[in-house]
Amino acid sequence: MRNVSTLLHMTGHPPGPLWTGRASNRVQWLLAAAGAACLALGVELAVDSSWTAGIVPLLMSVIGCLAAGLLILYGTLAFVHVAVTVDAEALEVRCGHIGLPRRKIRLAEVASAEFLPRITPQQWGGWGYRWRPEKGTAVIVRRGEGVELRLGDGKVFTVTVDDAENAVRVIRAHLRALAR
């Protein structure tokens, strides 16, 4: 990664990212295992159907286990880690292994950037892509440091990411360059 002090004194932006960061949460793998167990139970019920109560209860049980397992798996694997990239145009947040959900915020829309030394899932109502009317939108994958962006339209976006302090420095430097 490039030296942050060099980036702060640049007048033009090179192609590619100015800053990249990640955050991960290994606890989510335990929840993913629970989702996989629900899927396995649904498959087991479908294959070994020795129920004497009839087809409707069996079908409801199989569908319920499969649906719960898929929801738990997606909900946890999508937020096992987050990758944040700041380039000359935008801050982009990509979640999970396939990069979904994804959020891109143009830096021209950012009014200010703040470093938050301590963000907890409890402040946001849990892990994941969160929205709270009094706080705005957030991507929370673990407790710890993060970046808070205040947008020109008054909305707030927060993301937990390692090395958030340097991300804020790079964003602020870009905002100063845009103001000139």
Side-chain angles (χ1 to χ4, degrees):
M1 191 168 132
R2 297 180 187 146
N3 186 332
V4 173
S5 63
T6 303
L7 288 172
L8 295 177
H9 292 86
M10 290 173 46
T11 55
H13 296 293
L18 299 175
W19 181 88
T20 58
R22 295 176 59 88
S24 60
N25 184 346
R26 290 181 181 27
V27 173
Q28 295 284 57
W29 288 108
L30 294 174
L31 297 173
C38 284
L39 274 175
L41 178 60
V43 170
E44 173 64 23
L45 288 173
V47 171
D48 187 24
S49 59
S50 60
W51 282 34
T52 58
I55 190 74
V56 174
L58 174 63
L59 191 59
M60 289 173 50
S61 297
V62 169
I63 291 171
C65 286
L66 293 176
L70 287 172
L71 284 171
I72 292 169
L73 272 174
Y74 174 74
T76 56
L77 292 180
F79 297 101
V80 168
H81 66 83
V82 64
V84 180
T85 304
V86 178
D87 63 22
E89 299 293 322
L91 174 135
E92 185 174 24
V93 177
R94 301 180 100 193
C95 302
H97 296 290
I98 58 173
L100 294 174
R102 178 183 313 181
R103 174 86 187 260
K104 190 170 194 172
I105 299 172
R106 290 178 10 95
L107 293 179
E109 299 170 4
V110 175
S112 68
E114 298 296 324
F115 167 70
L116 300 177
R118 182 163 166 77
I119 301 171
T120 65
Q122 292 81 10
Q123 294 168 327
W124 286 92
W127 288 305
Y129 202 100
R130 311 307 263 171
W131 177 78
R132 299 205 38 199
E134 70 279 4
K135 297 183 86 151
T137 306
V139 175
I140 307 296
V141 295
R142 52 112 173 107
R143 110 182 50 227
E145 64 183 301
V147 175
E148 178 183 86
L149 299 179
R150 294 202 177 272
L151 307 180
D153 61 4
K155 294 179 181 175
V156 178
F157 180 78
T158 305
V159 60
T160 53
V161 64
D162 295 333
D163 195 30
E165 197 166 9
N166 281 327
V168 168
R169 284 187 190 125
V170 169
I171 293 168
R172 285 178 179 168
H174 185 78
L175 294 178
R176 283 191 300 272
L178 281 177
R180 292 183 204 157

